[in-house]
Amino acid sequence: MLELIDAFTNDLIRDPVLAADGHVYDRSSLLKYFAARKSEGWPIVSPQDPEQPMREELGEAPADVVAALAQLRADGELMRRARQARSATFKSLEALKVVFDVLDPLSELLAATLEGWRTPVVIVFGQETSGKSSLLERLAM
């Protein structure tokens, strides 16, 4: 599974590094995490598994992660639209079009990223003809 989102900020990773726990993080976020743990006198543990002690060694991120992030950064318009969509409030299914326009070109990348992920069970309530199935179809691609 590709790790493209920083576990600390929930933003796209800018400077990917492979940590000793085997996960990819943004370098800046991970270094801040290490510093905060040390300043509090706490041991360094994996952010993904607090029971797992972790060394502060940073390695190169896997090539597929670096390539995927580069591909995402290369399309400046797509990133601009993604930021715009993230800050918008949606009052109708039609208003979500900007979000789907951003996600649709990423379907193959998202599929690779979510490989092995177990999908949640989703229950949708609403009035008849309010767009429930249309929304679910778009979300499920």
Side-chain angles (χ1 to χ4, degrees):
M1 178 187 315
L2 290 177
E3 295 177 298
L4 305 177
I5 302 297
D6 182 40
F8 298 101
T9 64
N10 287 325
D11 285 330
L12 197 63
I13 292 174
R14 293 174 188 236
D15 182 10
V17 292
L18 183 63
D21 66 353
H23 292 281
V24 176
Y25 301 95
D26 184 77
R27 180 184 308 273
S28 173
S29 296
L30 191 57
L31 292 175
K32 286 178 188 174
Y33 170 76
F34 290 156
R37 297 290 294 191
K38 285 197 273 189
S39 73
E40 294 292 329
W42 296 335
I44 304 294
V45 295
S46 168
Q48 304 288 337
D49 179 5
E51 300 295 317
Q52 179 186 352
M54 187 169 94
R55 297 178 313 280
E56 294 182 55
E57 299 169 8
L58 302 180
E60 286 188 38
D64 56 346
V65 170
V66 173
L69 289 167
Q71 178 183 349
L72 287 172
R73 278 190 217 99
D75 190 347
E77 175 63 17
L78 185 61
M79 291 305 293
R80 183 191 66 73
R81 289 170 43 206
R83 282 192 289 282
Q84 177 186 20
R86 193 170 80 183
S87 64
T89 301
F90 305 103
K91 296 183 179 175
S92 72
L93 184 60
E94 183 62 30
L96 286 171
K97 183 179 182 314
V98 66
V99 174
F100 296 126
D101 287 346
V102 169
L103 292 177
D104 284 344
L106 298 174
S107 62
E108 288 180 26
L109 179 60
L110 287 173
T113 301
L114 297 175
E115 184 178 329
W117 181 67
R118 294 184 56 173
T119 57
V121 174
V122 178
I123 300 172
V124 179
F125 294 92
Q127 297 177 354
E128 287 185 34
T129 67
S130 62
K132 297 178 302 294
S133 61
S134 297
L135 174 63
L136 289 173
E137 287 173 11
R138 291 299 303 260
L139 289 174
M141 293 185 200

